[in-house]
Amino acid sequence: MMKKQILAAAIYPVIVFPLAIVWHLILFKDKYMAFGYFEGEPNIAIGFATMVIQGAVLATVYPMFKVRGTGYSRAFQFAGLLGLFFWTSHVLALVARQNVPNASTFVLMETFYLGVQFGLFALALGFIFRGEIRVNVAV
């Protein structure tokens, strides 16, 4: 189990870091600058460190996540729940604390981005933890 957790923790920044760079700093940098998403230049090292910590936390919590289903079903339930948490604390919190120009576009773009991010992570979790038997419990 520990090997799977370490692999899950490591795969999260491997998936998320390049996606975040391409999405926020290459494809849509001008949009995100206009949204006020960045104040000055982003700190890439701290962003990467944040993703490493997030990956470690998510990989630690995942084995404790008990729901009906196994494999990919369980992984997508976990990623959906935690993705929703990230969305509220990341997307909605930014719109709530500052005036974001064209907020609806920002919310749509970040919703799509986080959907891709957590969808890819769910696929990785489903693959890493494949074959693991979970006891079905009611939630």
Side-chain angles (χ1 to χ4, degrees):
M1 176 67 86
M2 183 60 80
K3 287 181 184 179
K4 290 180 179 185
Q5 285 179 276
I6 292 169
L7 182 57
I11 202 70
Y12 183 81
V14 168
I15 291 169
V16 176
F17 186 70
L19 178 64
I21 294 291
V22 169
W23 185 269
H24 295 101
L25 299 177
I26 296 173
L27 292 177
F28 302 111
K29 183 177 183 177
D30 292 340
K31 279 246 186 241
Y32 282 93
M33 294 299 275
F35 293 142
Y37 190 75
F38 301 113
E39 291 183 16
E41 286 298 311
N43 187 320
I44 303 296
I46 292 177
F48 182 73
T50 299
M51 292 172 195
V52 168
I53 294 166
Q54 289 172 350
V57 170
L58 292 171
T60 300
V61 172
Y62 184 67
M64 296 178 231
F65 186 68
K66 300 193 183 326
V67 294
R68 291 189 189 275
T70 59
Y72 290 101
S73 170
R74 179 172 166 245
F76 273 95
Q77 289 177 66
F78 177 77
L81 180 64
L82 274 290
L84 178 62
F85 176 79
F86 273 64
W87 182 79
T88 61
S89 63
H90 172 77
V91 179
L92 293 185
L94 181 69
V95 173
R97 76 174 169 262
Q98 71 186 50
N99 182 19
V100 176
N102 204 354
S104 60
T105 300
F106 170 76
V107 169
L108 285 172
M109 288 178 71
E110 280 298 280
T111 299
F112 184 78
Y113 166 78
L114 287 170
V116 171
Q117 172 182 323
F118 280 94
L120 291 173
F121 186 55
L123 288 173
L125 283 176
F127 181 77
I128 292 167
F129 289 89
R130 70 191 177 280
E132 182 179 298
I133 306 225
R134 300 300 289 165
V135 176
N136 287 338
V137 293
V139 286

